[in-house]
Amino acid sequence: MISVQGLSKKYKGIEVVNIPDLNIEKGESFGLVGNNGAGKTTFFRMILDLIRPSEGAVLSKGIAVNSTEDWKFYTGSFLDESFLIDYLTPEEYFDFLASLHNYSKGDLREFLDQFTDLFNDEILGRNKYIRDLSKGNQKKVGIVSALMGEPEILILDEPFANLDPTTQIRLKGLLKDLKENKQLTMLISSHDLNHVTEVCERIVVLDKGIIQEDIQTSESTLKDLEEYFTI
Amino acid sequence: MIKDFLSHGFLQVRRSPVWAKSLITNLMLGLFGLMMVIYMLLLGVFLHKVADGLEGEFFPGSGRIEIITRFLVYYFGFEFIIRFFLQNTPVLFIQPYLHLPLKKGKIIHFMLRKSMVSVFNLLSLLLLIPFGLIVVYPEMGIGAFFGWTAAVFGLSLFNHFLGIYFKKKLNDQPNLMLILISVMLGVTIVEYFNIFEFSAVSVWIFAQFLEVPALSLIPVVLAIGFYQLNFLYLKNNTYPDEISSRKASRSKFSGDFAFLRRFGKIGEMVALELKMILRHKRPRMTLVFSGILLLYGLFFYTQDDFTEMSFIFIFAGIFVTGAFFINHGQFLLSWQSGDFDFLLTRNVSFRQYLESKYWLFVAVSCIAFVLSIGYVYFGWKIVAINFAACLFNIGINIPIVMRLSMFNPKKIDLNRGAAFNYEGMGAAQWLIGIPVLLLPYVLYLPFTLAGYENYGIMAVGVGGIIGFAFHKYVLGLLTEAFIKRRHKIAAGFRAQ
């Protein structure tokens, strides 16, 4: 689904990402872990053509993401608040996205109804602009909007950060459900080893932009990872 | 789709937190724009009169069209520079759309087309089309008028897209302003000494447009060409981190004011403030502006009319020696709005915080006075007045400004540009000038009206000295006021 070829990003001569070769299969749930500055977000941004790689390319369905824009139509993503239009209310933002995905009013209602639990009455009908929501609620808006249009690929950066425990658990359930029932290819980065090992079947450890480990999740993965990060 | 973009653009402006807060300044800017439009239209309608006037004075025997077209190259050059500095394409507008299932081209086309709706594009039309109707059409016929209109229209849009393109390309060029100014200066000098007459070229070009109206499509085609160039450039460069390279602070300033350390915590705080000033555009602008105001005295001292009215020199003295604390001090706390909570929670006492501000203002006022000694060229009296004004500033005005600035300070985002940025402006800021400029006259006028002007000047200075003698007590009062209001101020800064 996604393959990376000789990808490298340098800022002022310092290499922050260097991934010679990486393939993510369809339906795979891929977890990216690493300390601050490991290059996780930069890597995701390059997958979304938000940063121009210094060398190499990211291919989505075999086509380089910076040569066409086809990937946009089957990729849902949320990395940070700059993905939101913060002077709209959540309703207006969803309406706008619905028009991009050719959802009817009914489709949109049906779609949002799935997330009533997740929203917990804090998002819709509050008459607040997105910028006035708390970080956690902004994240909910972003994650839900990434799921709109039945994407084949879902890319989330730190989806669990800033969320309350209840929502973290609900989100985990949601992601697992999507993986099992919709064959969604998921790319998730996280600092939380617990969550990421629960949701993802493949975990890649990034450090200083270089892949250190690439493991299929098993019983012992969490322990292995904890050992790796205990220095 | 376009409808959505338009509505988003409108909502962005309408719902901007700055909009709501500074409705009045927005109205003022709107009025200013309207005034510009009206002035340009009036000037346009009477441009033929201007041409007649110039003919009599400077260019006897030239026709109206020739005279006006002489200046057009300068007009469009000037317009280009104004556009370059004031006009901005909101490239960051597109950031939240980049990951959505939308073609980049569509967003960029929208952005570029929307940018055409701008007062700047109206100005040259308002100025020059009436002239076309009143002079060109009767003198040379409908074809020439058509050529004139198309040329003006084309050149205006050409300027527009050229401006955007250059701005994108050259933004990282240091000293750009200097380069542009020297180019303008060079052109003017070359023209002035008749080395090469750009105005003659201008006349010739417009003459072609009028004679062969079809040629006036050239600027239109050029405008379209630059539109395409912009489009291609933006399409290949819509990477947020590259576009917003300006946001990454370019400040290379890294001095650490080690000499201030010997003054203890207060010295450290002053050093912090200086770094804040030098590393951000807006406070740096106020500093530069204060430097420019040092020259403000020239405006007064060189006018013969004012030598009779020497009372106005007190006014000048206050400004010359106090420009910095008036400009910077009115936003006393707003400068720290980003890290105000930090200030409240660290082990710096509030008194030390305010003291550091006070001493910074005192030091800068003294420096300004020392620099202003150069005005001795206009007589010793000026130096005496400036000295008295400086003392008055130190003793009385600085504490007053500090106190007034604590009324409802507004948040300032240091990372935003300086020009036309009214963030942090509140009613208190407008009121600050009044006591600062009027109070010295309370001491000065009684003596002067009684015929003892020198004593009046002395009274101003003595008033300052007395104020300074009590500065510890005054700082205590300021600290109390600050402590009382600090929660409200902090809440104001935290709110968006």
Side-chain angles (χ1 to χ4, degrees):
Chain A
M1 200 71 179
I2 289 181
S3 63
V4 173
Q5 295 175 347
L7 190 69
S8 154
K9 178 69 191 174
K10 292 192 186 92
Y11 284 112
K12 291 182 184 143
I14 297 162
E15 197 156 55
V16 293
V17 171
N18 181 1
I19 302 177
D21 185 34
L22 181 73
N23 281 298
I24 299 165
E25 300 302 327
K26 186 170 167 56
E28 197 166 44
S29 56
F30 174 91
L32 193 61
V33 294
N35 290 326
N36 291 331
K40 300 187 296 289
T41 310
T42 310
F43 176 44
F44 277 1
R45 289 218 167 101
M46 284 193 279
I47 298 177
L48 292 169
D49 193 31
L50 293 170
I51 289 181
R52 197 199 299 267
S54 305
E55 277 163 44
V58 177
L59 310 186
S60 184
K61 287 190 178 174
I63 305 166
V65 289
N66 52 6
S67 66
T68 87
E69 298 184 56
D70 295 341
W71 57 270
K72 281 185 179 177
F73 294 87
Y74 58 83
T75 307
S77 55
F78 180 68
L79 299 191
D80 58 28
E81 294 85 54
S82 71
F83 278 46
L84 302 170
I85 304 174
D86 66 354
Y87 46 84
L88 299 181
T89 63
E91 282 92 339
E92 287 169 329
Y93 185 58
F94 288 135
D95 272 343
F96 169 64
L97 293 175
S99 73
L100 294 184
H101 291 288
N102 294 321
Y103 275 28
S104 70
K105 282 246 182 289
D107 291 343
L108 177 63
R109 194 167 327 116
E110 202 177 312
F111 172 76
L112 290 177
D113 279 346
Q114 306 170 57
F115 303 104
T116 321
D117 281 350
L118 192 72
F119 285 157
N120 200 19
D121 281 340
E122 285 175 76
I123 310 288
L124 299 176
R126 282 308 180 92
N127 225 358
K128 266 186 173 178
Y129 301 140
I130 292 177
R131 65 161 182 256
D132 296 329
L133 298 175
S134 70
K135 284 252 189 269
N137 284 335
Q138 286 180 348
K139 187 149 265 172
K140 289 183 198 172
V141 174
I143 291 171
V144 169
S145 58
L147 291 171
M148 203 180 272
E150 306 221 324
E152 296 168 50
I153 301 173
L154 177 68
I155 301 180
L156 300 175
D157 191 17
E158 296 286 347
F160 301 104
N162 288 327
L163 292 182
D164 58 75
T166 310
T167 314
Q168 289 185 9
I169 291 163
R170 281 179 181 154
L171 180 62
K172 252 188 294 186
L174 181 73
L175 293 176
K176 280 186 200 162
D177 180 55
L178 285 169
K179 180 174 71 180
E180 275 153 30
N181 299 330
K182 299 249 169 95
Q183 290 300 301
L184 188 66
T185 311
M186 284 195 285
L187 283 75
I188 291 172
S189 82
S190 182
H191 285 302
D192 193 312
L193 302 175
N194 266 317
H195 292 323
V196 84
T197 42
E198 247 180 85
V199 175
C200 298
E201 52 200 22
R202 177 182 177 194
I203 304 239
V204 161
V205 179
L206 209 59
D207 187 42
K208 302 207 172 80
I210 296 165
I211 294 182
Q212 306 289 343
E213 310 264 347
D214 186 345
I215 33 183
Q216 297 296 320
T217 319
S218 64
E219 294 284 305
S220 63
T221 306
L222 182 59
K223 236 175 135 211
D224 293 347
L225 284 174
E226 271 171 357
E227 252 164 51
Y228 175 84
F229 283 104
T230 313
I231 302 167
Chain B
M1 200 63 256
I2 304 247
K3 203 189 86 212
D4 278 317
F5 281 145
L6 278 176
S7 110
H8 288 179
F10 173 73
L11 291 177
Q12 185 181 28
V13 175
R14 180 66 196 76
R15 290 177 177 176
S16 145
V18 192
W19 165 271
K21 271 189 192 155
S22 56
L23 188 62
I24 293 178
T25 29
N26 275 314
L27 278 175
M28 300 271 279
L29 272 183
L31 270 179
F32 178 72
L34 194 69
M35 260 168 58
M36 283 294 286
V37 165
I38 293 172
Y39 282 150
M40 275 309 212
L41 187 62
L42 280 176
L43 190 60
V45 171
F46 293 105
L47 200 59
H48 60 286
K49 300 265 184 212
V50 175
D52 290 343
L54 285 172
E55 186 190 351
E57 285 271 329
F58 301 105
F59 309 108
S62 306
R64 286 163 164 179
I65 296 176
E66 191 192 323
I67 290 169
I68 293 303
T69 49
R70 281 183 88 87
F71 291 101
L72 283 184
V73 62
Y74 291 101
Y75 170 76
F76 281 108
F78 182 67
E79 196 195 73
F80 175 75
I81 290 184
I82 298 276
R83 280 168 184 279
F84 187 87
F85 285 107
L86 295 186
Q87 218 173 2
N88 211 350
T89 32
V91 184
L92 287 178
F93 177 76
I94 70 178
Q95 198 175 346
Y97 301 95
L98 283 178
H99 71 295
L100 296 176
L102 276 172
K103 293 273 180 201
K104 263 183 199 175
K106 219 171 182 175
I107 316 172
I108 295 167
H109 272 307
F110 170 77
M111 196 178 71
L112 283 175
R113 281 171 199 165
K114 197 183 123 198
S115 76
M116 289 196 286
V117 184
S118 153
V119 174
F120 291 104
N121 285 335
L122 268 181
L123 294 183
S124 55
L125 297 183
L126 290 172
L127 180 68
L128 296 171
I129 301 300
F131 182 77
L133 267 176
I134 295 167
V135 177
V136 177
Y137 175 50
E139 277 186 22
M140 303 186 69
I142 184 80
F145 172 66
F146 184 77
W148 173 265
T149 311
V152 169
F153 185 70
L155 281 170
S156 176
L157 283 182
F158 169 67
N159 246 347
H160 178 80
F161 289 115
L162 188 73
I164 294 175
Y165 190 67
F166 266 66
K167 191 151 186 161
K168 293 271 163 299
K169 281 261 168 181
L170 295 179
N171 223 347
D172 295 326
Q173 189 85 17
N175 304 326
L176 185 66
M177 190 133 160
L178 278 181
I179 296 172
L180 275 178
I181 289 175
S182 30
V183 166
M184 277 303 265
L185 218 67
V187 169
T188 319
I189 290 171
V190 166
E191 170 94 36
Y192 186 80
F193 290 108
N194 292 329
I195 301 169
F196 183 83
E197 287 189 68
F198 288 96
S199 55
V201 176
S202 177
V203 170
W204 184 81
I205 290 175
F206 274 89
Q208 306 310 308
F209 289 155
L210 296 185
E211 262 169 41
V212 190
L215 284 178
S216 65
L217 289 176
I218 293 173
V220 178
V221 171
L222 275 176
I224 295 171
F226 265 89
Y227 177 93
Q228 283 302 331
L229 208 59
N230 269 310
F231 178 77
L232 289 177
Y233 177 75
L234 284 171
K235 193 162 153 81
N236 292 321
N237 290 284
T238 37
Y239 291 90
D241 61 327
E242 291 171 24
I243 296 169
S244 54
S245 59
R246 305 165 56 206
K247 268 172 89 183
S249 153
R250 275 188 292 161
S251 164
K252 300 279 189 300
F253 178 82
S254 57
D256 69 343
F257 302 104
F259 66 94
L260 285 168
R261 292 241 169 87
R262 78 178 74 143
F263 297 106
K265 248 181 200 171
I266 292 175
E268 294 275 5
M269 298 291 290
V270 170
L272 184 70
E273 179 105 10
L274 287 175
K275 281 180 203 158
M276 186 278 290
I277 294 171
L278 294 169
R279 289 179 186 178
H280 295 96
K281 215 172 191 175
R282 183 155 169 209
R284 205 164 50 215
M285 280 296 280
T286 64
L287 188 69
V288 171
F289 191 57
S290 309
I292 294 170
L293 275 182
L294 266 181
L295 303 173
Y296 192 53
L298 288 175
F299 176 75
F300 292 100
Y301 308 144
T302 53
Q303 307 259 329
D304 290 340
D305 299 345
F306 285 133
T307 42
E308 298 302 311
M309 311 189 293
S310 61
F311 67 87
I312 205 109
F313 293 163
I314 296 267
F315 181 82
I318 294 282
F319 250 122
V320 167
T321 61
F324 176 71
F325 81 81
I326 296 173
N327 277 321
H328 187 82
Q330 59 180 324
F331 302 115
L332 190 76
L333 307 173
S334 299
W335 298 122
Q336 264 82 36
S337 56
D339 49 80
F340 197 67
D341 289 343
F342 168 85
L343 259 166
L344 293 181
T345 51
R346 289 297 146 151
N347 57 343
V348 180
S349 76
F350 300 136
R351 189 184 169 103
Q352 284 171 329
Y353 169 61
L354 292 173
E355 256 178 272
S356 73
K357 299 256 185 193
Y358 180 78
W359 287 111
L360 175 67
F361 293 150
V362 170
V364 177
S365 290
C366 291
I367 293 171
F369 168 68
V370 171
L371 291 174
S372 78
I373 289 177
Y375 285 129
V376 68
Y377 176 77
F378 297 101
W380 279 102
K381 194 175 157 196
I382 303 260
V383 176
I385 290 176
N386 283 348
F387 185 56
C390 178
L391 288 175
F392 191 84
N393 278 336
I394 290 171
I396 296 175
N397 274 341
I398 290 177
I400 287 179
V401 168
M402 286 174 73
R403 180 66 190 89
L404 287 179
S405 69
M406 286 180 201
F407 284 112
N408 196 15
K410 302 272 194 313
K411 184 176 172 146
I412 290 180
D413 183 355
L414 286 172
N415 296 318
R416 290 188 42 196
F420 290 98
N421 183 350
Y422 293 95
E423 249 187 325
M425 281 290 193
Q429 275 68 48
W430 298 101
L431 293 174
I432 270 172
I434 298 171
V436 166
L437 295 173
L438 290 188
L439 275 180
Y441 287 99
V442 173
L443 297 172
Y444 171 80
L445 276 184
F447 289 96
T448 309
L449 292 176
Y452 304 104
E453 200 201 342
N454 289 343
Y455 289 109
I457 296 170
M458 268 167 76
V460 172
V462 170
I465 292 170
I466 294 172
F468 184 70
F470 287 102
H471 77 272
K472 290 214 158 118
Y473 174 70
V474 172
L475 278 167
L477 291 181
L478 284 172
T479 310
E480 262 174 51
F482 177 75
I483 289 173
K484 231 182 255 169
R485 308 183 70 88
R486 69 182 192 280
H487 293 123
K488 223 178 117 189
I489 294 169
F493 287 158
R494 256 176 252 131
Q496 284 256 334

